[in-house]
Amino acid sequence: LIFFSSNVCDKWSKAHQATTSELLFSFSQVSSYMPKSLSMVTWQVEFKIFHHMFFHKYKIDPNSIPFDEYIELQFEKFILEIIEISPSTWSLFGVYMLWLYL
């Protein structure tokens, strides 16, 4: 989970620094055998879309705040909340997931 979250934050940071045309070009170059939903480039494109929507909705200058750092802080809070779930709850979740797949 920690590795996954750091990987996601790294992709978001790269997306924040890339131009829209660079991301769209990378997205178009994703191999045809790999579903676009599993591509790391997809996460970057989604981040860029979210970035534009956020600044458009709240009418903020895109250069006024470090958006990637803001999102990273929010994501870290979310991950910490997940980690803080009690062991008994994780155990029940594990049993439930086993039950689903058996």
Side-chain angles (χ1 to χ4, degrees):
L1 188 60
I2 293 170
F3 174 74
F4 173 76
S5 65
S6 66
N7 192 16
V8 168
C9 290
D10 179 55
K11 298 301 176 193
W12 287 344
S13 179
K14 288 178 183 175
H16 181 70
Q17 297 169 5
T19 64
T20 305
S21 58
E22 290 172 341
L23 285 176
L24 290 176
F25 178 75
S26 296
F27 188 71
S28 69
Q29 297 300 312
V30 173
S31 300
S32 60
Y33 67 87
M34 180 181 204
K36 293 212 187 277
S37 61
L38 299 178
S39 167
M40 296 295 181
V41 175
T42 303
W43 293 0
Q44 292 176 336
V45 171
E46 288 173 353
F47 176 84
K48 201 65 162 183
I49 292 169
F50 183 60
H51 176 265
H52 287 295
M53 289 172 50
F54 179 84
F55 285 104
H56 180 73
K57 167 78 175 160
Y58 296 106
K59 297 175 176 62
I60 301 172
D61 177 28
N63 298 322
S64 62
I65 62 170
F67 186 70
D68 59 331
E69 293 175 16
Y70 168 74
I71 294 298
E72 186 174 340
L73 283 172
Q74 298 304 316
F75 189 64
E76 285 176 2
K77 287 180 187 178
F78 172 72
I79 295 296
L80 289 175
E81 288 175 8
I82 289 175
I83 292 172
E84 290 178 359
I85 295 174
S86 69
S88 61
T89 305
W90 277 113
S91 299
L92 288 173
F93 179 72
V95 168
Y96 176 72
M97 293 305 289
L98 284 172
W99 178 74
L100 282 177
Y101 290 106
L102 295 178

PDB file of all heavy atoms in Angstrom, residues 14-28 41 44-53 62:
ATOM      1  N   LYS A  14       4.713  14.037 -11.894  1.00  0.00           N
ATOM      2  CA  LYS A  14       5.140  14.105 -13.294  1.00  0.00           C
ATOM      3  C   LYS A  14       4.045  14.700 -14.170  1.00  0.00           C
ATOM      4  O   LYS A  14       4.327  15.476 -15.083  1.00  0.00           O
ATOM      5  CB  LYS A  14       5.525  12.718 -13.806  1.00  0.00           C
ATOM      6  CG  LYS A  14       6.838  12.217 -13.234  1.00  0.00           C
ATOM      7  CD  LYS A  14       7.172  10.827 -13.725  1.00  0.00           C
ATOM      8  CE  LYS A  14       8.456  10.328 -13.072  1.00  0.00           C
ATOM      9  NZ  LYS A  14       8.746   8.948 -13.428  1.00  0.00           N
ATOM     10  N   ALA A  15       2.809  14.353 -13.880  1.00  0.00           N
ATOM     11  CA  ALA A  15       1.694  14.886 -14.655  1.00  0.00           C
ATOM     12  C   ALA A  15       1.544  16.383 -14.427  1.00  0.00           C
ATOM     13  O   ALA A  15       1.214  17.133 -15.341  1.00  0.00           O
ATOM     14  CB  ALA A  15       0.400  14.176 -14.279  1.00  0.00           C
ATOM     15  N   HIS A  16       1.798  16.812 -13.213  1.00  0.00           N
ATOM     16  CA  HIS A  16       1.685  18.236 -12.904  1.00  0.00           C
ATOM     17  C   HIS A  16       2.702  19.041 -13.705  1.00  0.00           C
ATOM     18  O   HIS A  16       2.408  20.156 -14.144  1.00  0.00           O
ATOM     19  CB  HIS A  16       1.894  18.454 -11.403  1.00  0.00           C
ATOM     20  CG  HIS A  16       1.773  19.869 -10.977  1.00  0.00           C
ATOM     21  ND1 HIS A  16       0.566  20.538 -10.970  1.00  0.00           N
ATOM     22  CD2 HIS A  16       2.698  20.760 -10.549  1.00  0.00           C
ATOM     23  CE1 HIS A  16       0.758  21.764 -10.558  1.00  0.00           C
ATOM     24  NE2 HIS A  16       2.048  21.937 -10.288  1.00  0.00           N
ATOM     25  N   GLN A  17       3.876  18.475 -13.925  1.00  0.00           N
ATOM     26  CA  GLN A  17       4.944  19.178 -14.631  1.00  0.00           C
ATOM     27  C   GLN A  17       4.823  19.062 -16.152  1.00  0.00           C
ATOM     28  O   GLN A  17       5.384  19.875 -16.878  1.00  0.00           O
ATOM     29  CB  GLN A  17       6.302  18.647 -14.167  1.00  0.00           C
ATOM     30  CG  GLN A  17       6.555  18.913 -12.704  1.00  0.00           C
ATOM     31  CD  GLN A  17       7.762  18.161 -12.179  1.00  0.00           C
ATOM     32  OE1 GLN A  17       8.467  17.512 -12.926  1.00  0.00           O
ATOM     33  NE2 GLN A  17       7.983  18.247 -10.877  1.00  0.00           N
ATOM     34  N   ALA A  18       4.087  18.081 -16.635  1.00  0.00           N
ATOM     35  CA  ALA A  18       3.975  17.858 -18.083  1.00  0.00           C
ATOM     36  C   ALA A  18       2.890  18.741 -18.686  1.00  0.00           C
ATOM     37  O   ALA A  18       1.940  19.131 -18.013  1.00  0.00           O
ATOM     38  CB  ALA A  18       3.646  16.394 -18.356  1.00  0.00           C
ATOM     39  N   THR A  19       3.052  19.015 -19.951  1.00  0.00           N
ATOM     40  CA  THR A  19       2.007  19.753 -20.659  1.00  0.00           C
ATOM     41  C   THR A  19       0.923  18.769 -21.089  1.00  0.00           C
ATOM     42  O   THR A  19       1.146  17.555 -21.149  1.00  0.00           O
ATOM     43  CB  THR A  19       2.566  20.463 -21.906  1.00  0.00           C
ATOM     44  OG1 THR A  19       3.026  19.472 -22.832  1.00  0.00           O
ATOM     45  CG2 THR A  19       3.695  21.408 -21.547  1.00  0.00           C
ATOM     46  N   THR A  20      -0.224  19.322 -21.403  1.00  0.00           N
ATOM     47  CA  THR A  20      -1.344  18.480 -21.823  1.00  0.00           C
ATOM     48  C   THR A  20      -1.012  17.728 -23.106  1.00  0.00           C
ATOM     49  O   THR A  20      -1.329  16.541 -23.230  1.00  0.00           O
ATOM     50  CB  THR A  20      -2.604  19.340 -22.016  1.00  0.00           C
ATOM     51  OG1 THR A  20      -2.856  20.057 -20.805  1.00  0.00           O
ATOM     52  CG2 THR A  20      -3.806  18.493 -22.342  1.00  0.00           C
ATOM     53  N   SER A  21      -0.363  18.390 -24.033  1.00  0.00           N
ATOM     54  CA  SER A  21      -0.035  17.720 -25.296  1.00  0.00           C
ATOM     55  C   SER A  21       0.961  16.578 -25.082  1.00  0.00           C
ATOM     56  O   SER A  21       0.880  15.546 -25.744  1.00  0.00           O
ATOM     57  CB  SER A  21       0.499  18.719 -26.318  1.00  0.00           C
ATOM     58  OG  SER A  21       1.639  19.366 -25.821  1.00  0.00           O
ATOM     59  N   GLU A  22       1.912  16.745 -24.157  1.00  0.00           N
ATOM     60  CA  GLU A  22       2.860  15.662 -23.850  1.00  0.00           C
ATOM     61  C   GLU A  22       2.131  14.452 -23.285  1.00  0.00           C
ATOM     62  O   GLU A  22       2.409  13.307 -23.665  1.00  0.00           O
ATOM     63  CB  GLU A  22       3.910  16.138 -22.840  1.00  0.00           C
ATOM     64  CG  GLU A  22       4.896  17.134 -23.366  1.00  0.00           C
ATOM     65  CD  GLU A  22       5.778  17.722 -22.284  1.00  0.00           C
ATOM     66  OE1 GLU A  22       5.434  17.652 -21.089  1.00  0.00           O
ATOM     67  OE2 GLU A  22       6.835  18.268 -22.644  1.00  0.00           O
ATOM     68  N   LEU A  23       1.181  14.700 -22.389  1.00  0.00           N
ATOM     69  CA  LEU A  23       0.426  13.588 -21.797  1.00  0.00           C
ATOM     70  C   LEU A  23      -0.442  12.885 -22.831  1.00  0.00           C
ATOM     71  O   LEU A  23      -0.526  11.661 -22.853  1.00  0.00           O
ATOM     72  CB  LEU A  23      -0.438  14.093 -20.646  1.00  0.00           C
ATOM     73  CG  LEU A  23       0.299  14.417 -19.361  1.00  0.00           C
ATOM     74  CD1 LEU A  23      -0.653  14.991 -18.342  1.00  0.00           C
ATOM     75  CD2 LEU A  23       0.986  13.190 -18.806  1.00  0.00           C
ATOM     76  N   LEU A  24      -1.089  13.667 -23.684  1.00  0.00           N
ATOM     77  CA  LEU A  24      -1.935  13.043 -24.704  1.00  0.00           C
ATOM     78  C   LEU A  24      -1.109  12.234 -25.694  1.00  0.00           C
ATOM     79  O   LEU A  24      -1.541  11.167 -26.131  1.00  0.00           O
ATOM     80  CB  LEU A  24      -2.755  14.113 -25.422  1.00  0.00           C
ATOM     81  CG  LEU A  24      -3.848  14.763 -24.577  1.00  0.00           C
ATOM     82  CD1 LEU A  24      -4.525  15.877 -25.350  1.00  0.00           C
ATOM     83  CD2 LEU A  24      -4.849  13.729 -24.103  1.00  0.00           C
ATOM     84  N   PHE A  25       0.079  12.716 -26.019  1.00  0.00           N
ATOM     85  CA  PHE A  25       0.952  11.952 -26.901  1.00  0.00           C
ATOM     86  C   PHE A  25       1.370  10.640 -26.228  1.00  0.00           C
ATOM     87  O   PHE A  25       1.322   9.581 -26.847  1.00  0.00           O
ATOM     88  CB  PHE A  25       2.190  12.765 -27.278  1.00  0.00           C
ATOM     89  CG  PHE A  25       3.141  12.006 -28.157  1.00  0.00           C
ATOM     90  CD1 PHE A  25       2.862  11.810 -29.499  1.00  0.00           C
ATOM     91  CD2 PHE A  25       4.308  11.457 -27.633  1.00  0.00           C
ATOM     92  CE1 PHE A  25       3.720  11.096 -30.310  1.00  0.00           C
ATOM     93  CE2 PHE A  25       5.174  10.740 -28.433  1.00  0.00           C
ATOM     94  CZ  PHE A  25       4.889  10.559 -29.773  1.00  0.00           C
ATOM     95  N   SER A  26       1.757  10.692 -24.958  1.00  0.00           N
ATOM     96  CA  SER A  26       2.133   9.476 -24.228  1.00  0.00           C
ATOM     97  C   SER A  26       0.960   8.505 -24.154  1.00  0.00           C
ATOM     98  O   SER A  26       1.128   7.302 -24.290  1.00  0.00           O
ATOM     99  CB  SER A  26       2.582   9.829 -22.808  1.00  0.00           C
ATOM    100  OG  SER A  26       3.723  10.615 -22.829  1.00  0.00           O
ATOM    101  N   PHE A  27      -0.236   9.055 -23.938  1.00  0.00           N
ATOM    102  CA  PHE A  27      -1.429   8.220 -23.851  1.00  0.00           C
ATOM    103  C   PHE A  27      -1.694   7.522 -25.176  1.00  0.00           C
ATOM    104  O   PHE A  27      -2.092   6.360 -25.204  1.00  0.00           O
ATOM    105  CB  PHE A  27      -2.624   9.083 -23.450  1.00  0.00           C
ATOM    106  CG  PHE A  27      -3.858   8.303 -23.140  1.00  0.00           C
ATOM    107  CD1 PHE A  27      -3.941   7.528 -21.998  1.00  0.00           C
ATOM    108  CD2 PHE A  27      -4.951   8.349 -23.981  1.00  0.00           C
ATOM    109  CE1 PHE A  27      -5.087   6.812 -21.695  1.00  0.00           C
ATOM    110  CE2 PHE A  27      -6.098   7.641 -23.692  1.00  0.00           C
ATOM    111  CZ  PHE A  27      -6.157   6.864 -22.549  1.00  0.00           C
ATOM    112  N   SER A  28      -1.461   8.217 -26.277  1.00  0.00           N
ATOM    113  CA  SER A  28      -1.696   7.604 -27.595  1.00  0.00           C
ATOM    114  C   SER A  28      -0.651   6.543 -27.917  1.00  0.00           C
ATOM    115  O   SER A  28      -0.888   5.682 -28.764  1.00  0.00           O
ATOM    116  CB  SER A  28      -1.704   8.671 -28.678  1.00  0.00           C
ATOM    117  OG  SER A  28      -0.407   9.214 -28.848  1.00  0.00           O
ATOM    118  N   VAL A  41       0.153   6.050 -17.588  1.00  0.00           N
ATOM    119  CA  VAL A  41      -0.118   7.293 -18.298  1.00  0.00           C
ATOM    120  C   VAL A  41      -1.571   7.709 -18.073  1.00  0.00           C
ATOM    121  O   VAL A  41      -1.883   8.893 -17.968  1.00  0.00           O
ATOM    122  CB  VAL A  41       0.190   7.143 -19.805  1.00  0.00           C
ATOM    123  CG1 VAL A  41      -0.192   8.387 -20.570  1.00  0.00           C
ATOM    124  CG2 VAL A  41       1.656   6.811 -20.015  1.00  0.00           C
ATOM    125  N   GLN A  44      -1.861   9.756 -15.082  1.00  0.00           N
ATOM    126  CA  GLN A  44      -1.353  11.108 -15.303  1.00  0.00           C
ATOM    127  C   GLN A  44      -2.378  11.955 -16.058  1.00  0.00           C
ATOM    128  O   GLN A  44      -2.588  13.124 -15.725  1.00  0.00           O
ATOM    129  CB  GLN A  44      -0.033  11.056 -16.064  1.00  0.00           C
ATOM    130  CG  GLN A  44       1.091  10.465 -15.251  1.00  0.00           C
ATOM    131  CD  GLN A  44       2.379  10.317 -16.035  1.00  0.00           C
ATOM    132  OE1 GLN A  44       2.370  10.233 -17.254  1.00  0.00           O
ATOM    133  NE2 GLN A  44       3.489  10.278 -15.323  1.00  0.00           N
ATOM    134  N   VAL A  45      -3.022  11.366 -17.045  1.00  0.00           N
ATOM    135  CA  VAL A  45      -4.045  12.091 -17.802  1.00  0.00           C
ATOM    136  C   VAL A  45      -5.219  12.430 -16.892  1.00  0.00           C
ATOM    137  O   VAL A  45      -5.733  13.557 -16.909  1.00  0.00           O
ATOM    138  CB  VAL A  45      -4.503  11.280 -19.039  1.00  0.00           C
ATOM    139  CG1 VAL A  45      -5.714  11.919 -19.698  1.00  0.00           C
ATOM    140  CG2 VAL A  45      -3.362  11.137 -20.026  1.00  0.00           C
ATOM    141  N   GLU A  46      -5.648  11.483 -16.061  1.00  0.00           N
ATOM    142  CA  GLU A  46      -6.743  11.737 -15.134  1.00  0.00           C
ATOM    143  C   GLU A  46      -6.379  12.853 -14.159  1.00  0.00           C
ATOM    144  O   GLU A  46      -7.207  13.698 -13.833  1.00  0.00           O
ATOM    145  CB  GLU A  46      -7.103  10.466 -14.372  1.00  0.00           C
ATOM    146  CG  GLU A  46      -7.801   9.439 -15.229  1.00  0.00           C
ATOM    147  CD  GLU A  46      -7.992   8.111 -14.510  1.00  0.00           C
ATOM    148  OE1 GLU A  46      -7.460   7.938 -13.385  1.00  0.00           O
ATOM    149  OE2 GLU A  46      -8.680   7.254 -15.063  1.00  0.00           O
ATOM    150  N   PHE A  47      -5.141  12.847 -13.683  1.00  0.00           N
ATOM    151  CA  PHE A  47      -4.692  13.894 -12.775  1.00  0.00           C
ATOM    152  C   PHE A  47      -4.750  15.254 -13.456  1.00  0.00           C
ATOM    153  O   PHE A  47      -5.213  16.233 -12.872  1.00  0.00           O
ATOM    154  CB  PHE A  47      -3.262  13.624 -12.287  1.00  0.00           C
ATOM    155  CG  PHE A  47      -2.707  14.719 -11.410  1.00  0.00           C
ATOM    156  CD1 PHE A  47      -2.997  14.741 -10.067  1.00  0.00           C
ATOM    157  CD2 PHE A  47      -1.917  15.721 -11.947  1.00  0.00           C
ATOM    158  CE1 PHE A  47      -2.505  15.750  -9.253  1.00  0.00           C
ATOM    159  CE2 PHE A  47      -1.420  16.735 -11.148  1.00  0.00           C
ATOM    160  CZ  PHE A  47      -1.710  16.746  -9.788  1.00  0.00           C
ATOM    161  N   LYS A  48      -4.299  15.322 -14.697  1.00  0.00           N
ATOM    162  CA  LYS A  48      -4.293  16.588 -15.425  1.00  0.00           C
ATOM    163  C   LYS A  48      -5.721  17.087 -15.638  1.00  0.00           C
ATOM    164  O   LYS A  48      -6.002  18.277 -15.502  1.00  0.00           O
ATOM    165  CB  LYS A  48      -3.565  16.409 -16.759  1.00  0.00           C
ATOM    166  CG  LYS A  48      -3.064  17.676 -17.356  1.00  0.00           C
ATOM    167  CD  LYS A  48      -1.990  18.314 -16.487  1.00  0.00           C
ATOM    168  CE  LYS A  48      -1.180  19.315 -17.265  1.00  0.00           C
ATOM    169  NZ  LYS A  48      -0.108  19.884 -16.483  1.00  0.00           N
ATOM    170  N   ILE A  49      -6.640  16.191 -15.933  1.00  0.00           N
ATOM    171  CA  ILE A  49      -8.049  16.569 -16.093  1.00  0.00           C
ATOM    172  C   ILE A  49      -8.594  17.096 -14.773  1.00  0.00           C
ATOM    173  O   ILE A  49      -9.259  18.136 -14.725  1.00  0.00           O
ATOM    174  CB  ILE A  49      -8.887  15.378 -16.609  1.00  0.00           C
ATOM    175  CG1 ILE A  49      -8.492  15.039 -18.042  1.00  0.00           C
ATOM    176  CG2 ILE A  49     -10.386  15.675 -16.505  1.00  0.00           C
ATOM    177  CD1 ILE A  49      -9.053  13.728 -18.542  1.00  0.00           C
ATOM    178  N   PHE A  50      -8.313  16.398 -13.697  1.00  0.00           N
ATOM    179  CA  PHE A  50      -8.747  16.823 -12.366  1.00  0.00           C
ATOM    180  C   PHE A  50      -8.154  18.189 -12.032  1.00  0.00           C
ATOM    181  O   PHE A  50      -8.831  19.063 -11.485  1.00  0.00           O
ATOM    182  CB  PHE A  50      -8.332  15.767 -11.333  1.00  0.00           C
ATOM    183  CG  PHE A  50      -8.780  16.063  -9.942  1.00  0.00           C
ATOM    184  CD1 PHE A  50     -10.125  16.196  -9.642  1.00  0.00           C
ATOM    185  CD2 PHE A  50      -7.857  16.193  -8.920  1.00  0.00           C
ATOM    186  CE1 PHE A  50     -10.542  16.466  -8.352  1.00  0.00           C
ATOM    187  CE2 PHE A  50      -8.259  16.460  -7.632  1.00  0.00           C
ATOM    188  CZ  PHE A  50      -9.608  16.604  -7.347  1.00  0.00           C
ATOM    189  N   HIS A  51      -6.898  18.386 -12.382  1.00  0.00           N
ATOM    190  CA  HIS A  51      -6.203  19.650 -12.154  1.00  0.00           C
ATOM    191  C   HIS A  51      -6.938  20.793 -12.858  1.00  0.00           C
ATOM    192  O   HIS A  51      -7.241  21.821 -12.247  1.00  0.00           O
ATOM    193  CB  HIS A  51      -4.772  19.513 -12.687  1.00  0.00           C
ATOM    194  CG  HIS A  51      -3.949  20.746 -12.623  1.00  0.00           C
ATOM    195  ND1 HIS A  51      -3.821  21.601 -13.692  1.00  0.00           N
ATOM    196  CD2 HIS A  51      -3.206  21.270 -11.619  1.00  0.00           C
ATOM    197  CE1 HIS A  51      -3.034  22.603 -13.352  1.00  0.00           C
ATOM    198  NE2 HIS A  51      -2.642  22.423 -12.101  1.00  0.00           N
ATOM    199  N   HIS A  52      -7.265  20.607 -14.130  1.00  0.00           N
ATOM    200  CA  HIS A  52      -7.965  21.648 -14.890  1.00  0.00           C
ATOM    201  C   HIS A  52      -9.365  21.897 -14.336  1.00  0.00           C
ATOM    202  O   HIS A  52      -9.799  23.049 -14.242  1.00  0.00           O
ATOM    203  CB  HIS A  52      -8.042  21.280 -16.373  1.00  0.00           C
ATOM    204  CG  HIS A  52      -6.734  21.417 -17.077  1.00  0.00           C
ATOM    205  ND1 HIS A  52      -6.088  22.620 -17.248  1.00  0.00           N
ATOM    206  CD2 HIS A  52      -5.921  20.495 -17.653  1.00  0.00           C
ATOM    207  CE1 HIS A  52      -4.959  22.446 -17.889  1.00  0.00           C
ATOM    208  NE2 HIS A  52      -4.830  21.158 -18.142  1.00  0.00           N
ATOM    209  N   MET A  53     -10.071  20.840 -13.970  1.00  0.00           N
ATOM    210  CA  MET A  53     -11.420  20.997 -13.439  1.00  0.00           C
ATOM    211  C   MET A  53     -11.405  21.755 -12.112  1.00  0.00           C
ATOM    212  O   MET A  53     -12.253  22.609 -11.868  1.00  0.00           O
ATOM    213  CB  MET A  53     -12.072  19.618 -13.259  1.00  0.00           C
ATOM    214  CG  MET A  53     -12.435  18.955 -14.554  1.00  0.00           C
ATOM    215  SD  MET A  53     -12.990  17.243 -14.400  1.00  0.00           S
ATOM    216  CE  MET A  53     -14.221  17.335 -13.130  1.00  0.00           C
ATOM    217  N   PRO A  62      -3.876  28.744 -12.092  1.00  0.00           N
ATOM    218  CA  PRO A  62      -3.185  27.453 -11.973  1.00  0.00           C
ATOM    219  C   PRO A  62      -1.775  27.538 -11.384  1.00  0.00           C
ATOM    220  O   PRO A  62      -1.279  26.577 -10.827  1.00  0.00           O
ATOM    221  CB  PRO A  62      -3.138  26.926 -13.401  1.00  0.00           C
ATOM    222  CG  PRO A  62      -4.266  27.593 -14.083  1.00  0.00           C
ATOM    223  CD  PRO A  62      -4.384  28.949 -13.442  1.00  0.00           C
TER     224      PRO A  62
END
